[in-house]
Amino acid sequence: MKSALSIVAFTVTFGFSVLLIGLLFGFPQSNFDYTKSTKTNCYDQTRYKIERLINQDIRNGERRDSMIRRFERKSSEKMTISEYSVFVKRYVDKSERLNDSGLPAEFQESWREHMKAWRDYSNFLNKQKYGSFSNVEFNDYDIEFNNEINRTWYNTLRIGESHGASFNL
């Protein structure tokens, strides 16, 4: 009985001293923030998905450019607008199918605006098969479409970067 009473007295005294020290000097804090960890993990997943989508689009564009160069090397004549429009359409069809679900709404909106700019350009080129513009008019429109594509591209990259994505362009 005496040893059981000693154990109880020791436990109470030890508990009281831990409480007193904690009150005087503060209780130890865990540095691990579960909320922050979950947010970081989501942030990393979003960053990764954005980078993956952009890199897939870049690869699609590189394939388009490679096919155009290959075509131009084989042909002794300059590529026609009609021929060029086929390569642009293939690129647009492929990049429009990239999955942007689960990405932030502002990124999706920007990405879709960028793809709309490409689709508009592709449609413009497709209509040129019938040659409704002079060379000067065509060049002016071509510059406008390319400016819009570039504007939407850089906006999409900027929004992606705001979500932690980084791009090696």
Side-chain angles (χ1 to χ4, degrees):
M1 176 84 168
K2 198 174 188 180
S3 58
L5 191 56
S6 296
I7 292 174
V8 170
F10 173 78
T11 304
V12 170
T13 305
F14 181 76
F16 179 72
S17 63
V18 168
L19 180 63
L20 185 61
I21 296 295
L23 290 173
L24 291 173
F25 299 106
F27 292 97
Q29 299 291 318
S30 170
N31 290 335
F32 188 75
D33 182 353
Y34 291 97
T35 307
K36 194 176 198 178
S37 173
T38 303
K39 286 181 183 175
T40 301
N41 191 28
C42 289
Y43 186 74
D44 286 345
Q45 288 178 0
T46 300
R47 176 186 58 79
Y48 171 74
K49 286 179 180 179
I50 290 171
E51 288 173 354
R52 194 174 87 214
L53 183 138
I54 293 297
N55 286 330
Q56 287 173 324
D57 178 62
I58 289 170
R59 281 193 302 276
N60 291 344
E62 288 170 346
R63 277 190 220 109
R64 175 200 62 224
D65 295 344
S66 173
M67 290 169 62
I68 289 169
R69 283 191 300 274
R70 198 173 318 131
F71 181 90
E72 288 177 336
R73 275 187 300 225
K74 287 181 180 178
S75 175
S76 59
E77 297 180 20
K78 188 175 178 184
M79 181 183 293
T80 66
I81 293 171
S82 178
E83 292 161 337
Y84 178 68
S85 73
V86 171
F87 294 112
V88 171
K89 184 181 182 322
R90 284 181 193 161
Y91 158 76
V92 173
D93 290 344
K94 196 166 203 153
S95 284
E96 278 183 330
R97 286 192 303 266
L98 295 175
N99 184 3
D100 67 356
S101 65
L103 294 174
E106 66 178 339
F107 181 84
Q108 286 180 338
E109 183 179 325
S110 179
W111 170 251
R112 291 172 186 174
E113 184 182 1
H114 177 61
M115 291 316 306
K116 182 186 178 313
W118 268 107
R119 176 58 64 194
D120 291 346
Y121 183 56
S122 178
N123 291 340
F124 166 75
L125 291 173
N126 193 44
K127 289 177 186 173
Q128 296 319 300
K129 292 177 184 178
Y130 310 108
S132 60
F133 290 111
S134 70
N135 284 344
V136 172
E137 289 173 316
F138 174 82
N139 288 337
D140 289 344
Y141 280 112
D142 192 62
I143 289 169
E144 279 184 45
F145 280 108
N146 279 289
N147 286 341
E148 181 63 7
I149 288 169
N150 289 334
R151 183 193 69 75
T152 58
W153 175 245
Y154 289 115
N155 188 53
T156 301
L157 294 178
R158 182 187 57 75
I159 291 171
E161 287 171 345
S162 76
H163 290 278
S166 60
F167 311 105
N168 298 323
L169 305 174

